[in-house]
mmCIF file of all heavy atoms in Angstrom:
data_model
loop_
_atom_site.group_PDB
_atom_site.id
_atom_site.type_symbol
_atom_site.label_atom_id
_atom_site.label_comp_id
_atom_site.label_asym_id
_atom_site.label_seq_id
_atom_site.Cartn_x
_atom_site.Cartn_y
_atom_site.Cartn_z
ATOM 1 N N VAL M 65 -5.300 -12.728 -0.445
ATOM 2 C CA VAL M 65 -4.031 -12.091 -0.787
ATOM 3 C C VAL M 65 -3.763 -11.012 0.250
ATOM 4 O O VAL M 65 -4.561 -10.079 0.411
ATOM 5 C CB VAL M 65 -4.070 -11.463 -2.202
ATOM 6 C CG1 VAL M 65 -2.768 -10.720 -2.477
ATOM 7 C CG2 VAL M 65 -4.305 -12.538 -3.247
ATOM 8 N N ILE M 66 -2.668 -11.143 0.969
ATOM 9 C CA ILE M 66 -2.329 -10.195 2.041
ATOM 10 C C ILE M 66 -1.046 -9.454 1.695
ATOM 11 O O ILE M 66 -0.119 -10.019 1.098
ATOM 12 C CB ILE M 66 -2.205 -10.914 3.406
ATOM 13 C CG1 ILE M 66 -1.933 -9.910 4.536
ATOM 14 C CG2 ILE M 66 -1.148 -12.001 3.371
ATOM 15 C CD1 ILE M 66 -1.986 -10.522 5.942
ATOM 16 N N SER M 67 -0.978 -8.187 2.070
ATOM 17 C CA SER M 67 0.255 -7.428 1.889
ATOM 18 C C SER M 67 1.241 -7.830 2.975
ATOM 19 O O SER M 67 0.875 -8.441 3.973
ATOM 20 C CB SER M 67 -0.029 -5.923 1.970
ATOM 21 O OG SER M 67 -0.319 -5.540 3.307
ATOM 22 N N ASP M 68 2.482 -7.471 2.795
ATOM 23 C CA ASP M 68 3.476 -7.676 3.845
ATOM 24 C C ASP M 68 3.502 -6.439 4.744
ATOM 25 O O ASP M 68 2.816 -5.441 4.497
ATOM 26 C CB ASP M 68 4.853 -7.953 3.240
ATOM 27 C CG ASP M 68 5.749 -8.785 4.168
ATOM 28 O OD1 ASP M 68 5.490 -8.789 5.383
ATOM 29 O OD2 ASP M 68 6.707 -9.402 3.681
ATOM 30 N N PHE M 69 4.319 -6.489 5.775
ATOM 31 C CA PHE M 69 4.339 -5.503 6.851
ATOM 32 C C PHE M 69 4.557 -4.083 6.333
ATOM 33 O O PHE M 69 5.608 -3.776 5.766
ATOM 34 C CB PHE M 69 5.458 -5.884 7.834
ATOM 35 C CG PHE M 69 5.425 -5.172 9.142
ATOM 36 C CD1 PHE M 69 4.821 -5.732 10.249
ATOM 37 C CD2 PHE M 69 6.014 -3.924 9.290
ATOM 38 C CE1 PHE M 69 4.799 -5.083 11.476
ATOM 39 C CE2 PHE M 69 6.006 -3.257 10.499
ATOM 40 C CZ PHE M 69 5.378 -3.842 11.607
ATOM 41 N N SER M 70 3.547 -3.237 6.479
ATOM 42 C CA SER M 70 3.614 -1.805 6.120
ATOM 43 C C SER M 70 3.882 -1.563 4.633
ATOM 44 O O SER M 70 4.253 -0.448 4.252
ATOM 45 C CB SER M 70 4.702 -1.070 6.940
ATOM 46 O OG SER M 70 4.213 -0.736 8.211
ATOM 47 N N ASP M 71 3.673 -2.555 3.795
ATOM 48 C CA ASP M 71 4.111 -2.382 2.407
ATOM 49 C C ASP M 71 3.189 -1.517 1.569
ATOM 50 O O ASP M 71 3.573 -1.092 0.481
ATOM 51 C CB ASP M 71 4.299 -3.753 1.753
ATOM 52 C CG ASP M 71 5.710 -4.282 1.968
ATOM 53 O OD1 ASP M 71 6.629 -3.466 2.081
ATOM 54 O OD2 ASP M 71 5.886 -5.507 2.031
ATOM 55 N N VAL M 72 1.969 -1.258 2.057
ATOM 56 C CA VAL M 72 1.155 -0.263 1.380
ATOM 57 C C VAL M 72 1.750 1.124 1.617
ATOM 58 O O VAL M 72 1.929 1.925 0.697
ATOM 59 C CB VAL M 72 -0.309 -0.330 1.871
ATOM 60 C CG1 VAL M 72 -1.124 0.823 1.292
ATOM 61 C CG2 VAL M 72 -0.937 -1.673 1.472
ATOM 62 N N GLU M 73 2.103 1.379 2.864
ATOM 63 C CA GLU M 73 2.773 2.634 3.212
ATOM 64 C C GLU M 73 4.103 2.779 2.463
ATOM 65 O O GLU M 73 4.479 3.876 2.032
ATOM 66 C CB GLU M 73 3.012 2.663 4.718
ATOM 67 C CG GLU M 73 3.660 3.914 5.246
ATOM 68 C CD GLU M 73 3.816 3.886 6.759
ATOM 69 O OE1 GLU M 73 3.252 2.979 7.404
ATOM 70 O OE2 GLU M 73 4.522 4.754 7.287
ATOM 71 N N PHE M 74 4.790 1.659 2.282
ATOM 72 C CA PHE M 74 6.097 1.716 1.621
ATOM 73 C C PHE M 74 5.989 1.994 0.123
ATOM 74 O O PHE M 74 6.997 2.290 -0.522
ATOM 75 C CB PHE M 74 6.871 0.417 1.855
ATOM 76 C CG PHE M 74 7.330 0.241 3.282
ATOM 77 C CD1 PHE M 74 7.632 -1.020 3.795
ATOM 78 C CD2 PHE M 74 7.454 1.335 4.128
ATOM 79 C CE1 PHE M 74 8.035 -1.168 5.107
ATOM 80 C CE2 PHE M 74 7.867 1.198 5.435
ATOM 81 C CZ PHE M 74 8.158 -0.068 5.938
ATOM 82 N N LEU M 75 4.781 1.883 -0.451
ATOM 83 C CA LEU M 75 4.600 2.328 -1.830
ATOM 84 C C LEU M 75 4.894 3.814 -1.942
ATOM 85 O O LEU M 75 5.293 4.314 -2.992
ATOM 86 C CB LEU M 75 3.167 2.036 -2.311
ATOM 87 C CG LEU M 75 2.807 0.564 -2.534
ATOM 88 C CD1 LEU M 75 1.334 0.429 -2.882
ATOM 89 C CD2 LEU M 75 3.674 -0.038 -3.637
ATOM 90 N N VAL M 76 4.712 4.527 -0.826
ATOM 91 C CA VAL M 76 5.042 5.951 -0.765
ATOM 92 C C VAL M 76 6.507 6.132 -0.375
ATOM 93 O O VAL M 76 7.286 6.786 -1.082
ATOM 94 C CB VAL M 76 4.133 6.679 0.252
ATOM 95 C CG1 VAL M 76 4.464 8.179 0.280
ATOM 96 C CG2 VAL M 76 2.664 6.456 -0.074
ATOM 97 N N GLU M 77 6.892 5.534 0.740
ATOM 98 C CA GLU M 77 8.199 5.812 1.342
ATOM 99 C C GLU M 77 9.370 5.150 0.619
ATOM 100 O O GLU M 77 10.398 5.777 0.423
ATOM 101 C CB GLU M 77 8.186 5.371 2.801
ATOM 102 C CG GLU M 77 7.250 6.173 3.686
ATOM 103 C CD GLU M 77 7.387 5.786 5.146
ATOM 104 O OE1 GLU M 77 8.335 5.040 5.468
ATOM 105 O OE2 GLU M 77 6.541 6.216 5.941
ATOM 106 N N ALA M 78 9.204 3.882 0.264
ATOM 107 C CA ALA M 78 10.326 3.125 -0.304
ATOM 108 C C ALA M 78 10.343 3.122 -1.819
ATOM 109 O O ALA M 78 11.402 3.264 -2.441
ATOM 110 C CB ALA M 78 10.290 1.681 0.217
ATOM 111 N N HIS M 79 9.159 2.958 -2.422
ATOM 112 C CA HIS M 79 9.114 2.808 -3.883
ATOM 113 C C HIS M 79 8.852 4.115 -4.617
ATOM 114 O O HIS M 79 9.094 4.205 -5.823
ATOM 115 C CB HIS M 79 8.039 1.791 -4.268
ATOM 116 C CG HIS M 79 8.329 0.391 -3.791
ATOM 117 N ND1 HIS M 79 9.353 -0.356 -4.296
ATOM 118 C CD2 HIS M 79 7.731 -0.366 -2.836
ATOM 119 C CE1 HIS M 79 9.375 -1.541 -3.694
ATOM 120 N NE2 HIS M 79 8.404 -1.566 -2.792
ATOM 121 N N ALA M 80 8.338 5.119 -3.894
ATOM 122 C CA ALA M 80 8.001 6.408 -4.522
ATOM 123 C C ALA M 80 7.053 6.218 -5.695
ATOM 124 O O ALA M 80 7.158 6.887 -6.724
ATOM 125 C CB ALA M 80 9.271 7.152 -4.958
ATOM 126 N N SER M 81 6.108 5.283 -5.532
ATOM 127 C CA SER M 81 5.147 4.993 -6.590
ATOM 128 C C SER M 81 3.764 5.576 -6.299
ATOM 129 O O SER M 81 2.857 5.464 -7.122
ATOM 130 C CB SER M 81 5.017 3.475 -6.776
ATOM 131 O OG SER M 81 6.211 2.941 -7.287
ATOM 132 N N ALA M 82 3.600 6.134 -5.112
ATOM 133 C CA ALA M 82 2.334 6.793 -4.746
ATOM 134 C C ALA M 82 2.676 8.068 -3.987
ATOM 135 O O ALA M 82 3.657 8.118 -3.245
ATOM 136 C CB ALA M 82 1.480 5.864 -3.879
ATOM 137 N N LYS M 83 1.839 9.096 -4.157
ATOM 138 C CA LYS M 83 2.160 10.393 -3.544
ATOM 139 C C LYS M 83 1.826 10.414 -2.065
ATOM 140 O O LYS M 83 2.417 11.181 -1.299
ATOM 141 C CB LYS M 83 1.434 11.509 -4.268
ATOM 142 C CG LYS M 83 -0.092 11.441 -4.176
ATOM 143 C CD LYS M 83 -0.738 12.576 -4.964
ATOM 144 C CE LYS M 83 -2.270 12.490 -4.887
ATOM 145 N NZ LYS M 83 -2.910 13.569 -5.677
ATOM 146 N N ASP M 84 0.844 9.589 -1.653
ATOM 147 C CA ASP M 84 0.478 9.545 -0.241
ATOM 148 C C ASP M 84 -0.160 8.191 0.047
ATOM 149 O O ASP M 84 -0.367 7.366 -0.852
ATOM 150 C CB ASP M 84 -0.459 10.696 0.140
ATOM 151 C CG ASP M 84 -1.714 10.775 -0.734
ATOM 152 O OD1 ASP M 84 -2.161 9.711 -1.235
ATOM 153 O OD2 ASP M 84 -2.236 11.888 -0.939
ATOM 154 N N LYS M 85 -0.507 7.973 1.306
ATOM 155 C CA LYS M 85 -1.025 6.661 1.715
ATOM 156 C C LYS M 85 -2.418 6.390 1.133
ATOM 157 O O LYS M 85 -2.770 5.242 0.883
ATOM 158 C CB LYS M 85 -1.050 6.576 3.238
ATOM 159 C CG LYS M 85 -1.130 5.149 3.761
ATOM 160 C CD LYS M 85 -0.886 5.117 5.250
ATOM 161 C CE LYS M 85 -0.972 3.718 5.807
ATOM 162 N NZ LYS M 85 -0.783 3.704 7.281
ATOM 163 N N ARG M 86 -3.187 7.424 0.924
ATOM 164 C CA ARG M 86 -4.504 7.240 0.299
ATOM 165 C C ARG M 86 -4.347 6.661 -1.096
ATOM 166 O O ARG M 86 -5.020 5.686 -1.466
ATOM 167 C CB ARG M 86 -5.247 8.588 0.242
ATOM 168 C CG ARG M 86 -6.633 8.496 -0.407
ATOM 169 C CD ARG M 86 -7.217 9.902 -0.612
ATOM 170 N NE ARG M 86 -8.570 9.859 -1.147
ATOM 171 C CZ ARG M 86 -8.870 9.723 -2.442
ATOM 172 N NH1 ARG M 86 -7.883 9.595 -3.337
ATOM 173 N NH2 ARG M 86 -10.133 9.720 -2.843
ATOM 174 N N GLU M 87 -3.450 7.259 -1.881
ATOM 175 C CA GLU M 87 -3.231 6.746 -3.225
ATOM 176 C C GLU M 87 -2.622 5.345 -3.188
ATOM 177 O O GLU M 87 -2.985 4.479 -3.990
ATOM 178 C CB GLU M 87 -2.311 7.681 -4.019
ATOM 179 C CG GLU M 87 -2.132 7.232 -5.456
ATOM 180 C CD GLU M 87 -1.211 8.143 -6.252
ATOM 181 O OE1 GLU M 87 -0.308 8.769 -5.670
ATOM 182 O OE2 GLU M 87 -1.417 8.220 -7.483
ATOM 183 N N ALA M 88 -1.733 5.107 -2.243
ATOM 184 C CA ALA M 88 -1.138 3.784 -2.108
ATOM 185 C C ALA M 88 -2.190 2.732 -1.795
ATOM 186 O O ALA M 88 -2.156 1.615 -2.334
ATOM 187 C CB ALA M 88 -0.071 3.805 -1.014
ATOM 188 N N THR M 89 -3.138 3.077 -0.938
ATOM 189 C CA THR M 89 -4.229 2.159 -0.604
ATOM 190 C C THR M 89 -5.056 1.833 -1.843
ATOM 191 O O THR M 89 -5.408 0.677 -2.098
ATOM 192 C CB THR M 89 -5.129 2.778 0.481
ATOM 193 O OG1 THR M 89 -4.335 3.045 1.642
ATOM 194 C CG2 THR M 89 -6.259 1.840 0.851
ATOM 195 N N LYS M 90 -5.341 2.843 -2.631
ATOM 196 C CA LYS M 90 -6.098 2.633 -3.870
ATOM 197 C C LYS M 90 -5.353 1.697 -4.824
ATOM 198 O O LYS M 90 -5.936 0.747 -5.371
ATOM 199 C CB LYS M 90 -6.364 3.974 -4.565
ATOM 200 C CG LYS M 90 -7.123 3.831 -5.879
ATOM 201 C CD LYS M 90 -7.417 5.171 -6.525
ATOM 202 C CE LYS M 90 -6.198 5.776 -7.170
ATOM 203 N NZ LYS M 90 -6.519 6.987 -7.973
ATOM 204 N N LEU M 91 -4.070 1.952 -5.016
ATOM 205 C CA LEU M 91 -3.277 1.128 -5.929
ATOM 206 C C LEU M 91 -3.225 -0.319 -5.462
ATOM 207 O O LEU M 91 -3.348 -1.256 -6.253
ATOM 208 C CB LEU M 91 -1.873 1.703 -6.066
ATOM 209 C CG LEU M 91 -1.748 3.062 -6.760
ATOM 210 C CD1 LEU M 91 -0.332 3.614 -6.606
ATOM 211 C CD2 LEU M 91 -2.109 2.940 -8.236
ATOM 212 N N ALA M 92 -3.026 -0.520 -4.159
ATOM 213 C CA ALA M 92 -2.894 -1.863 -3.605
ATOM 214 C C ALA M 92 -4.197 -2.646 -3.724
ATOM 215 O O ALA M 92 -4.212 -3.804 -4.174
ATOM 216 C CB ALA M 92 -2.434 -1.799 -2.149
ATOM 217 N N VAL M 93 -5.302 -2.027 -3.319
ATOM 218 C CA VAL M 93 -6.594 -2.722 -3.374
ATOM 219 C C VAL M 93 -6.993 -2.996 -4.816
ATOM 220 O O VAL M 93 -7.447 -4.102 -5.143
ATOM 221 C CB VAL M 93 -7.678 -1.892 -2.637
ATOM 222 C CG1 VAL M 93 -9.060 -2.516 -2.840
ATOM 223 C CG2 VAL M 93 -7.364 -1.802 -1.152
ATOM 224 N N ASN M 94 -6.816 -2.037 -5.696
ATOM 225 C CA ASN M 94 -7.178 -2.246 -7.101
ATOM 226 C C ASN M 94 -6.289 -3.269 -7.790
ATOM 227 O O ASN M 94 -6.692 -3.893 -8.777
ATOM 228 C CB ASN M 94 -7.158 -0.929 -7.851
ATOM 229 C CG ASN M 94 -8.370 -0.060 -7.567
ATOM 230 O OD1 ASN M 94 -9.424 -0.581 -7.180
ATOM 231 N ND2 ASN M 94 -8.244 1.246 -7.728
ATOM 232 N N SER M 95 -5.089 -3.469 -7.275
ATOM 233 C CA SER M 95 -4.210 -4.488 -7.873
ATOM 234 C C SER M 95 -4.680 -5.899 -7.519
ATOM 235 O O SER M 95 -4.312 -6.859 -8.178
ATOM 236 C CB SER M 95 -2.772 -4.296 -7.379
ATOM 237 O OG SER M 95 -2.648 -4.710 -6.026
ATOM 238 N N GLY M 96 -5.492 -6.013 -6.462
ATOM 239 C CA GLY M 96 -6.008 -7.330 -6.060
ATOM 240 C C GLY M 96 -5.682 -7.730 -4.639
ATOM 241 O O GLY M 96 -6.023 -8.846 -4.221
ATOM 242 N N ILE M 97 -5.039 -6.856 -3.851
ATOM 243 C CA ILE M 97 -4.756 -7.189 -2.455
ATOM 244 C C ILE M 97 -6.039 -7.109 -1.644
ATOM 245 O O ILE M 97 -6.793 -6.134 -1.735
ATOM 246 C CB ILE M 97 -3.670 -6.253 -1.878
ATOM 247 C CG1 ILE M 97 -2.325 -6.541 -2.572
ATOM 248 C CG2 ILE M 97 -3.537 -6.435 -0.364
ATOM 249 C CD1 ILE M 97 -1.216 -5.629 -2.172
ATOM 250 N N ASP M 98 -6.287 -8.163 -0.862
ATOM 251 C CA ASP M 98 -7.536 -8.261 -0.102
ATOM 252 C C ASP M 98 -7.399 -7.802 1.337
ATOM 253 O O ASP M 98 -8.314 -7.211 1.904
ATOM 254 C CB ASP M 98 -8.018 -9.724 -0.092
ATOM 255 C CG ASP M 98 -8.123 -10.315 -1.476
ATOM 256 O OD1 ASP M 98 -8.773 -9.692 -2.332
ATOM 257 O OD2 ASP M 98 -7.538 -11.396 -1.717
ATOM 258 N N LEU M 99 -6.259 -8.088 1.934
ATOM 259 C CA LEU M 99 -6.040 -7.825 3.352
ATOM 260 C C LEU M 99 -4.771 -6.985 3.487
ATOM 261 O O LEU M 99 -3.693 -7.413 3.057
ATOM 262 C CB LEU M 99 -5.902 -9.130 4.105
ATOM 263 C CG LEU M 99 -5.921 -9.129 5.632
ATOM 264 C CD1 LEU M 99 -7.181 -8.481 6.176
ATOM 265 C CD2 LEU M 99 -5.803 -10.564 6.168
ATOM 266 N N LEU M 100 -4.905 -5.801 4.043
ATOM 267 C CA LEU M 100 -3.784 -4.861 4.130
ATOM 268 C C LEU M 100 -3.136 -4.944 5.500
ATOM 269 O O LEU M 100 -3.773 -4.627 6.515
ATOM 270 C CB LEU M 100 -4.258 -3.435 3.861
ATOM 271 C CG LEU M 100 -4.508 -3.039 2.394
ATOM 272 C CD1 LEU M 100 -5.631 -3.864 1.785
ATOM 273 C CD2 LEU M 100 -4.819 -1.558 2.277
ATOM 274 N N MET M 101 -1.865 -5.379 5.530
ATOM 275 C CA MET M 101 -1.134 -5.439 6.782
ATOM 276 C C MET M 101 -0.614 -4.047 7.093
ATOM 277 O O MET M 101 0.470 -3.655 6.681
ATOM 278 C CB MET M 101 0.020 -6.448 6.702
ATOM 279 C CG MET M 101 0.674 -6.729 8.035
ATOM 280 S SD MET M 101 2.108 -7.858 7.946
ATOM 281 C CE MET M 101 1.316 -9.430 7.586
ATOM 282 N N ASN M 102 -1.448 -3.320 7.805
ATOM 283 C CA ASN M 102 -1.167 -1.940 8.191
ATOM 284 C C ASN M 102 -1.005 -1.961 9.710
ATOM 285 O O ASN M 102 -1.963 -1.767 10.444
ATOM 286 C CB ASN M 102 -2.321 -1.051 7.762
ATOM 287 C CG ASN M 102 -2.013 0.429 7.877
ATOM 288 O OD1 ASN M 102 -1.100 0.918 7.223
ATOM 289 N ND2 ASN M 102 -2.789 1.139 8.690
#
């Protein structure tokens, strides 16, 4: 399972669902994403 382009970062910038990239990384990996397109 791979993320799309910068979409972990966009959990902060676009969705306002994470306060920073560290938290966004945690949310994405714990949701089941295996490969982060960063």
Side-chain angles (χ1 to χ4, degrees):
V65 176
I66 184 172
S67 72
D68 206 339
F69 193 96
S70 279
D71 272 330
V72 173
E73 182 178 350
F74 290 158
L75 289 175
V76 182
E77 294 186 10
H79 295 292
S81 293
K83 64 182 179 181
D84 54 29
K85 199 169 179 182
R86 180 188 184 277
E87 184 180 29
T89 301
K90 179 178 75 172
L91 292 171
V93 173
N94 283 336
S95 73
I97 292 176
D98 307 307
L99 191 57
L100 282 64
M101 190 183 289
N102 191 61

